[in-house]
Amino acid sequence: MGLIGSSEPLLWLINFSSFIPNFFLSANTNNTVHTYSRRCSILIVLRKHRQGNSSPSPCICIHVGLVGPPTIVEIDIMVRSMGPISEVDMTYSMDCYFRQTWVDKRLEYHSTKGDTLALSISMLEKIWKPDTYFYNGKQSYLHTITTPNKFVRLKMDGRVLYSSRLTVKASCPMNLEDFPMDTQRCPLKLGSFGYTISDVLYRWNANRTVDIALDMKMSQFDLISTPSGNGTEKMKLGDHSILEATFYMRRHTGFYLIQIYFPCILLVFVSWVGFWINREATADRVTLGVTTVLTMTFLGLEARTDLPKVSYPTALDFFVFLSFAFIFATIIQFAIVHFHTKYGSGEVYFNEDSSSEEDDDDSGSEDPNRIRSVGNLDIRRDPSVRSLQMSIIEVPPPPRLNNGGMGGSSSSGEGRTSSSMRNPPTPPPPPNWASFCRKQGRKHFLEMESVNSVSKVDQFARVFFPVSFLAINVFYWYSYLYKNSPHL
């Protein structure tokens, strides 16, 4: 009978000291003896009981390719999920089924019950298996809930399938110059820890290399492609066979559009409101400019909290700086407008000849002592008003009455006297202060209207700033989106 149904144990652990002398006696050359003595530090010997032959077969070393060509180990990976992907640590994690297949002729058997035999995981401690490890791994581990997630399958021709569920955290050197419109290349390198290419060669499985689960989704990235290849790595003790799989991932920009880009654009638009504010409203325009600058500074600092302290600017840094420059330029623009404004928002003085004009249609009178100021015009302090007060027409005194009346008729004198008493001369009307104040107020507001006229710099900025911001945005988005278009 074959391996199945034998009456004695399948695997025996042979004492190294008792095995070496007998094994060396069967060696043909001294070179072979030295080769085996150097490589065989731990031995597991397979004893086969063949039908009609109770003698054990010659002892075989643990390494399959100890004599002859190197052992070929085929690898394939089934990725169940990926993430998180950290830009600060420059690492990525993935949950995968890691499968290794190799042929061990010492484990051949014949059976009519099927061509595949499911073995217990305890058998892994008694047979040879490759010492595969991840070159760029950091904190990889095997899942052990509820039991260690691994299994072994053995085929009749001696082919061994060893599968395990791993969570691999590997390093991923990232180039963040195009962040957040970047495409990252995250490698996964694996190979043998101790065997060189003369002992073990790694190959990707011809039927499947790196498979991705159909329901796998990532919150930050889209997985574009997973090319794979093999090669050699020069080590101190010789060349080692390695395999490399590369995960190309394109970042989602939706989060950064909502959190960074749109608020920056809105802040730039808000800063342009100052172009339509009266140029004499200094406090309003300065407050608006300073507020937008401080808010833009806060957004710029917040955008870099989840990024490593790299020495080069990213695409997001360029946009934040662009928005900050436009907001700061609005403050500089207002400083130029305010510098060229000839009249401020203070008092406006009139010429003295303006006091001679009066409103003929106004006949009301008002006590001048009760009128203090109209708008910014102080009647008591304005020199033109004081000159108007001094220019009041003096009224001549009434003619003196001649009671004696020499040389004249008394009747006529009495008649003139009584007539003059009945109809005294009409004094000039008092100055019409209400009419004067209204007229001067109208003139004051007309002059203020000319002072508060729109600056030509403001008129130019209303067109130049939006057009230039739009043109720079078109160039910015076109250059970065075209650079990161899928042409891998």
Side-chain angles (χ1 to χ4, degrees):
M1 260 181 95
L3 187 65
I4 302 301
S6 79
S7 59
E8 294 188 5
L10 298 177
L11 298 173
W12 286 8
L13 182 62
I14 305 300
N15 188 289
F16 181 81
S17 60
S18 63
F19 168 73
I20 289 296
N22 296 329
F23 183 75
F24 283 171
L25 292 175
S26 63
N28 295 327
T29 61
N30 291 333
N31 292 334
T32 306
V33 171
H34 290 301
T35 302
Y36 284 115
S37 63
R38 176 170 56 87
R39 293 182 177 178
C40 299
S41 59
I42 300 177
L43 300 177
I44 295 179
V45 180
L46 179 66
R47 179 181 181 183
K48 293 185 179 180
H49 244 341
R50 302 186 183 276
Q51 187 175 5
N53 183 11
S54 60
S55 61
S57 60
C59 300
I60 303 173
C61 182
I62 182 175
H63 179 209
V64 181
L66 186 61
V67 179
T71 303
I72 297 178
V73 179
E74 295 183 348
I75 303 292
D76 66 274
I77 301 174
M78 175 65 178
V79 180
R80 293 293 306 170
S81 62
M82 294 190 70
I85 300 172
S86 174
E87 292 84 5
V88 178
D89 300 330
M90 290 196 176
T91 58
Y92 72 99
S93 300
M94 69 174 183
D95 182 12
C96 65
Y97 298 131
F98 186 70
R99 305 186 184 100
Q100 305 177 77
T101 305
W102 67 95
V103 177
D104 191 346
K105 292 295 183 180
R106 300 167 296 184
L107 301 178
E108 290 181 352
Y109 71 94
H110 301 282
S111 175
T112 59
K113 296 182 179 180
D115 60 345
T116 302
L117 178 64
L119 302 179
S120 172
I121 60 175
S122 60
M123 294 293 294
L124 290 172
E125 301 175 0
K126 301 174 183 179
I127 64 174
W128 179 86
K129 55 185 179 295
D131 57 345
T132 307
Y133 85 108
F134 298 99
Y135 280 70
N136 59 332
K138 287 194 171 183
Q139 295 180 356
S140 306
Y141 61 90
L142 172 71
H143 289 251
T144 58
I145 304 298
T146 57
T147 59
N149 297 171
K150 54 186 179 180
F151 67 84
V152 182
R153 297 289 186 269
L154 179 63
K155 291 184 178 296
M156 295 174 57
D157 58 352
R159 181 174 295 274
V160 181
L161 171 61
Y162 173 35
S163 178
S164 57
R165 183 186 176 191
L166 305 176
T167 292
V168 181
K169 184 177 182 180
S171 62
C172 177
M174 299 182 183
N175 185 4
L176 300 174
E177 291 183 354
D178 299 334
F179 177 87
M181 293 167 286
D182 54 336
T183 300
Q184 296 300 333
R185 176 185 176 272
C186 294
L188 180 66
K189 294 175 61 177
L190 56 95
S192 174
F193 187 79
Y195 295 111
T196 62
I197 57 177
S198 60
D199 301 323
V200 175
L201 290 177
Y202 282 89
R203 297 287 185 269
W204 288 107
N205 194 313
N207 298 325
R208 56 183 184 271
T209 55
V210 179
D211 293 337
I212 307 298
L214 297 178
D215 58 345
M216 191 193 78
K217 292 184 179 180
M218 292 184 288
S219 60
Q220 302 182 40
F221 291 88
D222 281 331
L223 187 60
I224 303 174
S225 62
T226 55
S228 57
N230 57 346
T232 58
E233 187 82 12
K234 289 187 176 296
M235 299 290 184
K236 194 171 184 179
L237 299 178
D239 295 341
H240 287 233
S241 176
I242 64 169
L243 296 180
E244 183 174 358
T246 305
F247 301 94
Y248 284 94
M249 296 175 288
R250 185 188 299 116
R251 192 185 305 273
H252 296 159
T253 58
F255 171 81
Y256 300 96
L257 287 175
I258 297 173
Q259 297 293 327
I260 305 296
Y261 282 97
F262 288 162
C264 290
I265 294 174
L266 290 178
L267 280 176
V268 174
F269 289 169
V270 169
S271 66
W272 296 343
V273 175
F275 301 152
W276 282 267
I277 297 179
N278 191 346
R279 60 178 175 173
E280 278 74 26
T282 306
D284 297 339
R285 295 186 67 165
V286 170
T287 302
L288 178 63
V290 172
T291 303
T292 52
V293 166
L294 293 178
T295 308
M296 193 68 241
T297 304
F298 172 77
L299 278 177
L301 295 176
E302 185 69 18
R304 294 195 61 88
T305 54
D306 297 332
L307 292 179
K309 296 178 176 61
V310 293
S311 60
Y312 50 84
T314 64
L316 184 61
D317 294 334
F318 278 120
F319 191 85
V320 172
F321 178 77
L322 173 67
S323 302
F324 186 88
F326 270 87
I327 294 175
F328 188 76
T330 58
I331 300 180
I332 302 300
Q333 182 268 349
F334 173 66
I336 297 174
V337 170
H338 187 72
F339 178 78
H340 289 89
T341 300
K342 298 184 181 298
Y343 297 97
S345 59
E347 296 180 353
V348 178
Y349 299 99
F350 307 104
N351 299 327
E352 293 186 0
D353 56 355
S354 63
S355 60
S356 60
E357 300 178 2
E358 296 182 358
D359 191 358
D360 296 337
D361 299 335
D362 243 332
S363 59
S365 62
E366 194 169 347
D367 187 2
N369 295 325
R370 295 171 57 189
I371 300 175
R372 296 296 180 187
S373 62
V374 176
N376 292 327
L377 180 63
D378 193 344
I379 296 177
R380 292 298 183 185
R381 297 181 181 180
D382 194 285
S384 61
V385 179
R386 290 201 302 269
S387 63
L388 181 65
Q389 288 178 326
M390 299 301 296
S391 62
I392 298 176
I393 301 174
E394 295 184 0
V395 179
R400 298 180 59 186
L401 300 179
N402 189 2
N403 296 330
M406 289 186 62
S409 148
S410 61
S411 61
S412 61
E414 292 176 359
R416 286 194 302 269
T417 302
S418 60
S419 175
S420 61
M421 293 294 292
R422 286 193 303 267
N423 298 316
T426 303
N432 194 343
W433 291 109
S435 174
F436 172 78
C437 292
R438 281 193 293 271
K439 188 172 184 63
Q440 296 296 342
R442 284 196 298 269
K443 186 172 183 178
H444 169 73
F445 287 118
L446 289 176
E447 293 192 11
M448 288 300 297
E449 184 179 359
S450 63
V451 171
N452 294 337
S453 60
V454 179
S455 172
K456 292 183 178 179
V457 180
D458 281 341
Q459 291 178 342
F460 175 75
R462 292 175 186 178
V463 178
F464 174 75
F465 275 75
V467 171
S468 58
F469 187 72
L470 178 62
I472 294 177
N473 267 271
V474 170
F475 175 77
Y476 172 87
W477 290 103
Y478 176 78
S479 59
Y480 280 106
L481 292 179
Y482 176 78
K483 183 192 301 185
N484 295 279
S485 58
H487 52 274
L488 299 175

